Amino acid sequence: MAKRTNTLIVTTVEIAGFFESKNLRTHGMQMGGKHVFDFGEIKMTQAIHGLSYEIEGKLTKFGLAAGIIFHSDGKVIYHAGDTALFSDMKLIGQYRPLDVAFLTIGDNFTMGPEDAALAANYLKAKKVVPIHYNTFPLIEQNPIAFCTSLREKQGEYLKVGEWLEI
Amino acid sequence: MAKRTNTLIVTTVEIAGFFESKNLRTHGMQMGGKHVFDFGEIKMTQAIHGLSYEIEGKLTKFGLAAGIIFHSDGKVIYHAGDTALFSDMKLIGQYRPLDVAFLTIGDNFTMGPEDAALAANYLKAKKVVPIHYNTFPLIEQNPIAFCTSLREKQGEYLKVGEWLEI
Amino acid sequence: MAKRTNTLIVTTVEIAGFFESKNLRTHGMQMGGKHVFDFGEIKMTQAIHGLSYEIEGKLTKFGLAAGIIFHSDGKVIYHAGDTALFSDMKLIGQYRPLDVAFLTIGDNFTMGPEDAALAANYLKAKKVVPIHYNTFPLIEQNPIAFCTSLREKQGEYLKVGEWLEI
């Protein structure tokens, strides 16, 4: 898809290297680094999650998992990526007032609802959208119960295909 | 051993993938994820430690190091794994009141006695058992001095073959 | 260079393994571990940064990125390595009063000036030397502005070839 549209792929240095080898346009970053693009500012954040892939039977260097803080048109979005809860999420909320945070609630592979509720509290995001759940039985969760567990009107449960206006 | 007894191996997604390829029963998890099994609840925790192995001369994808919180029969055990001290151990102590914490004191490759004493304080575990020391000169430590440095009756030094009843 | 001078290379277990295979003298460590050498004490610290290399087209196991705290002749130096800001830098400042901290300010791949200023504050180092900037356009920064943003007389901007006496 990126090839057809000539989209710039912003990702970790390691994954950027992989896509570059496929002749795609990339911008490599690392955790804690920030860069201002013409479409907005991106800061790459830590995510605590294993990341290593085999591609065509060959182990491929993919570095560490990451989240992002995306700042554009006066709005700030944090996508935590697949990650465990970590208390430095407080630093992310202090770095920019967040309009929306996307937080995993699936458990087993990432934060579950209880840890995501702590994360929402650390981040102080205006809106929190639960992600990464109910795609298979092991990560079955109730997103409505999760949203109810948050600060009033903070949780925003999106059905497949729904939009969130910020 | 797991093959003979058909034991379920609970580990990171990457290591689970390795054992699956050997036809063993596995359950893959990632840091921050929790799952309830018939024998108890396991939550996988962050560990700050390098992890990459060559097996038969081939680099094998093993993701990140991890610790676990194991909850069964009303008792909670934390095994930190090989790790540096990190202050989010406070979150582990807040997640469940810990009956026992196993903490490395070997230094050089992991926390030494001073950092493990800080960890014990962060975790507020009832009992702390020092591990990962004295197997070779580089990690020679005095487990009795370590236990003495902790809160009264918190440290529990186990000799090889000894049991701890909780 | 290490070969010619028979220098001991102190590094992560994984990188030590690589240099050992080249017949160099190494001492492997891991994050959180400390060891006393005849030239001083080294403690290896966490660094949040991807680390994986291909050498002669073959992915090589290099574990995790790291920083170090070096203690010798009554002076303590912290080199953060390439890393994101993390609040456990406070633990590093509490572990030893730091005479100098070397902190990246390049942004994009590491902490930028704002995060490095927070780091300087967490670490409470007497002197802070900005590093890892201006080697190419993507990490262009103003080291003088960075030093000015710190506590009075804390920032120490070194030109290429300059020395810092501590």
Side-chain angles (χ1 to χ4, degrees), chain B residues 73-87:
Chain B
D73 279 342
K75 298 289 179 180
V76 185
I77 295 168
Y78 170 55
H79 193 298
D82 283 1
T83 184
L85 175 70
F86 53 92
S87 62

Side-chain angles (χ1 to χ4, degrees), chain B residues 50 87 107-109 115 122, chain C residues 27-28 30 34 43 88 91:
Chain B
S87 62
D107 226 334
N108 195 79
F109 302 108
D115 280 358
Y122 292 172
Chain C
H27 179 103
Q30 282 284 7
K34 167 183 95 264
K43 182 169 184 175
D88 274 0
L91 294 179

Side-chain angles (χ1 to χ4, degrees), chain A residues 76-79 98-103 123 125-130:
Chain A
V76 185
I77 295 169
Y78 170 54
H79 192 301
L98 303 174
D99 292 285
V100 192
F102 292 90
L103 299 178
L123 293 162
K126 265 188 231 157
K127 292 283 173 202
V128 168
V129 180

